[in-house]
C-alpha cells in the first residue's frame, strides 16, 4: 500500500502503518511514572484498539497532559469517521479513550497546538475537506471552534492534503491542497471563559500562493535562522521547494526527482535545521538533504522492503530519525556519521500491519507512536 489515505473528490492522500523490536537508543529513557495509589507497570509498548481502521495520529504537546494522543479513523464511503482522544491509564497499562468527536471525512492529518508552556487553550487541528480547529475541555468534551477552507479558481474549495502548525508562532498554520496552492492562516484564539455565540477561534488568510505545478502533498515550517518564516513543500510534480513568508515572490527548488515521481512527505530535523528528510510515492527509501548543498541527497536510507509512509525526526536529538512503511516496520536510524553512508537502522520494530504514520513525542521524547490496521501503538525507544 502506498502512502495514501481514503479518496476524496478524486484525490487519494497518503495512508497507515505498524510496530518496533525494542533495542534502546543510547540516551536516557524515562518510563511512565505511576500516579499516587497506582501500581508501577514498566512497559515498552502501549496500544489503543479502535473499532475502525485508523490513520492520522498526534501527540499532545502540553506537559500536564501525560501520554495523551489523538487518532482518527479512516473509513471510505462512510460519512461517520471519528477522532478519539486517548490517554495512558497507568493502572490498566493501556491507552483508553477519554473523549471523541465525529469527523465527516477521514482526517489526513491531526495536530495538537504546539504549546508546552500552556499559553493557549487546549486546541486540536484536523484536515480533510477543510481545516478545522477543535477545543478540548478539562472533561475531554470536544467542540468545533473554527472551520477554514481556501478557494481556488472559480471560487471552488478544494480538499486539503496536509497542514503544519508553526511551532515558533502557534498563531500560524500552513495548509496545502490538490489545487497546487498553499495557504498560511493567521489563527486568533479567544480565551474568554463562558463566551456565548460565535466561534472562539477565527482565522484569516495571511497569504495564499501557487506553490507547485501539480497537487501539493505536504508542507512543513522550519526553525531555520531561529525564525518562523521559512517553510518547505513537496508535490506531485516531483519537486521540493522552500519559501520565505517575508518574500513570497520567489521560491527555491531544493530537490527534484529525476524521474518526476511524486514526492509525498517531508520533515525537518528538529535540532539541525539544515537537514530535511523526504520520500517519493511508492519508494522504499528516505532521502536526507543538506540545505547547504541542495538538490544532492547526502544520504539514502534503504532498508525498507515496502513503500515508505512516514518519517519523523527525534525532537531532542539531531542524530536520530524514524521511518515506517508498508513492510510493517518502524526503523530508527543513527545518522551521526553523515555524510558517510548509513547502511542499517539501529532499531527495528515489526508491527501487526502496514504502518501509515509515525510521530515522535515532543514531551515524552523516548516514545514514538505508529498506526496500523485498527491499532495505535506507542513504543518506548
Amino acid at each position: 500500500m502506498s502512502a495514501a489515505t481514503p479518496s476524496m473528490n478524486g484525490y487519494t492522500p497518503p495512508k497507515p502503518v505498524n510496530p518496533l523490536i525494542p533495542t534502546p537508543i543510547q540516551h536516557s529513557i524515562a518510563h511512565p511514572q505511576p500516579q499516587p495509589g497506582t501500581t508501577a507497570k514498566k512497559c515498552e509498548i502501549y496500544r489503543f484498539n479502535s473499532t475502525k481502521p485508523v490513520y492520522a495520529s498526534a501527540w499532545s504537546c502540553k506537559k500536564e497532559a501525560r501520554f495523551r494522543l489523538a487518532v482518527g479513523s479512516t473509513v471510505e464511503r462512510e460519512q461517520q469517521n471519528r477522532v478519539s482522544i486517548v490517554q495512558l491509564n497507568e493502572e490498566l497499562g493501556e491507552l483508553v479513550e477519554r473523549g471523541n468527536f465525529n469527523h465527516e471525512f477521514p482526517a489526513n492529518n491531526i495536530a495538537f497546538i504546539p504549546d508546552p508552556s500552556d499559553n493557549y487553550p487546549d486546541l486540536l487541528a484536523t484536515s480533510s475537506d477543510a481545516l478545522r480547529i477543535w477545543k478540548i475541555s478539562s472533561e475531554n468534551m470536544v467542540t468545533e471552534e473554527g472551520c477554514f477552507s481556501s478557494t481556488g479558481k472559480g471560487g471552488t474549495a478544494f480538499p486539503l492534503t496536509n497542514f503544519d502548525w508553526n511551532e515558533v508562532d502557534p498563531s500560524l498554520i500552513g495548509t496545502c491542497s490538490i489545487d497546487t496552492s498553499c495557504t498560511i492562516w493567521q489563527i486568533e484564539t479567544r480565551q474568554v471563559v463562558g463566551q456565548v455565540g460565535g466561534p472562539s477561534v477565527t482565522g484569516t488568510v495571511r497569504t495564499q500562493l501557487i506553490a507547485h505545478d501539480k497537487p501539493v502533498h505536504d508542507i512543513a515550517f522550519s526553525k531555520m535562522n531561529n525564525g518562523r518564516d521559512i517553510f518547505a513543500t513537496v508535490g506531485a510534480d516531483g519537486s521540493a521547494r522552500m519559501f520565505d513568508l517575508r518574500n513570497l515572490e520567489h521560491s527555491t527548488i531544493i530537490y527534484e526527482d529525476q524521474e518526476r515521481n511524486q514526492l509525498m512527505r517531508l520533515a525537518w530535523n528538529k535540532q539541525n535545521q539544515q537537514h530535511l528528510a523526504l520520500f517519493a510515492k511508492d519508494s522504499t527509501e528516505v532521502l536526507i538533504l543538506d540545505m547547504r548543498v541542495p538538490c544532492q541527497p547526502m544520504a539514502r536510507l534503504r532498508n525498507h522492503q515496502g513503500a515508505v509512509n512516514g518519517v519523523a525526526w527525534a525532537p531532542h536529538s539531531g542524530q536520530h530519525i524514524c521511518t515506517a512503511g508498508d513492510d510493517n516496520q518502524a526503523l530508527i536510524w543513527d545518522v551521526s556519521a553523515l555524510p558517510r553512508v548509513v547502511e542499517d537502522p539501529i532499531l527495528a520494530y515489526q508491527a501487526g500491519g502496514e504502518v501509515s504514520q509515525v510521530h515522535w513525542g515532543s514531551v515524552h521524547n523516548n516514545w514514538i507512536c505508529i498506526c496500523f490496521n485498527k491499532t495505535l501503538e506507542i513504543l518506548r525507544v
Side-chain angles (χ1 to χ4, degrees):
M1 191 184 295
S2 62
T5 50
S7 59
M8 180 169 50
N9 290 4
Y11 167 65
T12 302
K15 74 152 213 297
V17 203
N18 289 357
L20 287 161
I21 300 163
T23 306
I25 293 176
Q26 299 304 311
H27 58 64
S28 60
I29 293 178
H31 290 282
Q33 297 300 313
Q35 298 299 316
T38 66
T39 302
K41 288 189 177 182
K42 293 184 178 181
C43 189
E44 304 289 339
I45 302 174
Y46 296 104
R47 61 178 53 89
F48 168 73
N49 293 313
S50 174
T51 59
K52 300 179 181 180
V54 295
Y55 173 68
S57 60
W59 287 93
S60 173
C61 302
K62 292 185 180 290
K63 293 181 179 179
E64 76 280 4
R66 293 171 50 77
F67 289 89
R68 185 179 66 163
L69 304 97
V71 60
S73 69
T74 171
V75 183
E76 297 189 57
R77 303 180 186 88
E78 180 180 322
Q79 294 188 348
Q80 198 55 60
N81 281 276
R82 183 174 67 187
V83 174
S84 297
I85 309 298
V86 303
Q87 194 160 10
L88 177 62
N89 183 314
E90 293 170 293
E91 185 173 4
L92 295 176
E94 61 185 36
L95 295 168
V96 298
E97 187 177 78
R98 299 297 190 189
N100 65 72
F101 58 93
N102 291 333
H103 202 275
E104 182 176 4
F105 294 104
N108 52 40
N109 193 14
I110 298 173
F112 286 89
I113 186 170
D115 181 34
S117 300
D118 203 23
N119 295 322
Y120 295 88
D122 195 5
L123 301 177
L124 181 74
T126 62
S127 59
S128 54
D129 60 320
L131 175 70
R132 289 180 169 82
I133 308 295
W134 311 82
K135 186 175 181 179
I136 307 170
S137 73
S138 57
E139 296 79 27
N140 287 301
M141 299 297 292
V142 183
T143 55
E144 185 175 340
E145 300 294 330
C147 178
F148 316 118
S149 59
S150 54
T151 56
K153 297 177 182 179
T156 303
F158 290 92
L160 301 180
T161 53
N162 217 335
F163 72 90
D164 190 38
W165 211 321
N166 193 302
E167 293 183 15
V168 176
D169 182 358
S171 72
L172 297 180
I173 296 181
T175 61
C176 50
S177 172
I178 66 171
D179 71 345
T180 76
S181 74
C182 289
T183 303
I184 308 300
W185 295 90
Q186 188 86 45
I187 303 296
E188 298 179 7
T189 64
R190 303 178 195 170
Q191 301 193 47
V192 179
V193 177
Q195 178 179 342
V196 178
S200 65
V201 177
T202 59
T204 56
V205 175
R206 173 168 172 173
T207 188
Q208 186 174 27
L209 64 146
I210 301 301
H212 287 260
D213 301 325
K214 293 182 179 180
V216 189
H217 288 154
D218 201 5
I219 180 172
F221 285 103
S222 169
K223 294 181 183 176
M224 194 175 291
N225 302 324
N226 297 315
R228 62 168 191 168
D229 299 304
I230 305 297
F231 65 93
T233 60
V234 291
D237 59 5
S239 71
R241 308 187 184 203
M242 191 162 65
F243 298 84
D244 189 328
L245 285 174
R246 297 162 296 186
N247 181 14
L248 289 171
E249 294 181 2
H250 305 284
S251 66
T252 302
I253 295 179
I254 54 178
Y255 178 74
E256 282 188 295
D257 187 273
Q258 293 183 351
E259 299 180 1
R260 294 289 180 176
N261 293 315
Q262 300 183 46
L263 299 182
M264 301 305 295
R265 291 288 179 260
L266 75 158
W268 290 99
N269 187 315
K270 300 295 185 181
Q271 297 296 320
N272 182 352
Q273 290 294 311
Q274 297 295 338
H275 291 173
L276 177 72
L278 55 82
F279 59 87
K281 183 177 181 180
D282 297 327
S283 175
T284 59
E285 65 179 22
V286 172
L287 309 182
I288 298 180
L289 306 179
D290 188 324
M291 293 301 96
R292 293 162 294 195
V293 189
C295 298
Q296 298 295 326
M298 66 184 301
R300 295 176 183 267
L301 308 180
R302 288 176 159 160
N303 273 55
H304 280 287
Q305 302 302 308
V308 176
N309 298 316
V311 59
W313 290 93
H316 60 300
S317 166
Q319 301 177 356
H320 297 110
I321 186 172
C322 185
T323 62
D326 278 356
D327 56 358
N328 299 6
Q329 289 196 102
L331 307 177
I332 291 182
W333 309 76
D334 183 341
V335 295
S336 58
L338 292 178
R340 290 189 304 221
V341 174
V342 180
E343 293 185 348
D344 298 302
I346 59 171
L347 182 152
Y349 178 72
Q350 190 71 28
E354 296 177 346
V355 184
S356 56
Q357 289 192 359
V358 58
H359 299 284
W360 209 311
S362 60
V363 174
H364 305 289
N365 56 34
N366 299 310
W367 295 78
I368 65 170
C369 76
I370 60 172
C371 290
F372 60 96
N373 300 338
K374 297 180 180 180
T375 301
L376 165 74
E377 288 187 339
I378 62 172
L379 315 167
R380 193 178 84 111
V381 296

